[in-house]
Amino acid sequence: MTNIYGIDDKGLEFSSQAAILAEGFREVAAEVDRDARFPQEAITSLADNGFFGSFLPTEAGGSAQPPAVFAALVEQIAQGCSSAAMIYVMHVAASQTIVASSELADRDAILAEISSGKHLTTLAFSERGSRSQFWAPVSKLIRNGDGYVTSAT
């Protein structure tokens, strides 16, 4: 059964579990911020509890959850540790980029690693004109024979 936001029982379970995990993240969030360190405890917990593949297709070992569940999970995680939430947002965005690839040779193996919680991924780029909004690229990638040409700066 789904609610008005399109969240089914599995999505509600993810959201509830994220709220419980986030309680534990609060214990180290101040330290993470104060010391400007990676929130390893929170990220390991998300990986160990099946959150890395929440939005990957089922054929890749994921749970194929909809955007409403993504919003719910990020909100829950952020209430415990905002740094962990941002890392999770970047992981999910990068994972979806891998899902969308038709050219990445090891795509299926990488997705399997992500789904199993063994691969944290991210996007590491910015370009002039995008106002540091990685989701709003201004460059173009154009096929040119066997390769590509880009206008990126």
Side-chain angles (χ1 to χ4, degrees), residues 4-134:
I4 62 170
Y5 302 107
I7 300 176
D8 63 11
D9 291 341
K10 182 70 173 173
L12 291 173
E13 182 182 320
F14 271 121
S15 182
S16 295
Q17 188 178 13
I20 292 166
L21 294 176
E23 284 295 322
F25 301 167
R26 284 191 177 107
E27 296 173 14
V28 296
E31 178 188 327
V32 164
D33 290 346
R34 182 188 68 239
D35 298 343
R37 72 171 179 84
F38 187 82
Q40 188 64 57
E41 304 89 341
I43 298 304
T44 297
S45 180
L46 291 170
D48 291 348
N49 285 282
F51 286 86
F52 277 18
S54 302
F55 305 98
L56 297 181
T58 54
E59 59 270 12
S63 298
Q65 291 299 303
V69 173
F70 174 70
L73 294 187
V74 171
E75 180 179 0
Q76 295 295 345
I77 296 165
Q79 289 181 32
C81 179
S82 57
S83 295
M86 189 63 220
I87 292 165
Y88 187 68
V89 165
M90 295 301 295
H91 166 77
V92 171
S95 297
Q96 292 304 310
T97 301
I98 295 168
V99 167
S101 174
S102 60
E103 308 261 337
L104 182 60
D106 295 336
R107 176 186 170 270
D108 293 342
I110 293 168
L111 292 174
E113 290 283 304
I114 291 169
S115 291
S116 68
K118 296 176 184 170
H119 182 109
L120 174 67
T121 195
T122 193
L123 299 171
F125 68 89
S126 181
E127 57 184 329
R128 192 174 343 155
S130 70
R131 300 176 322 279
S132 73
Q133 298 174 4
F134 72 89

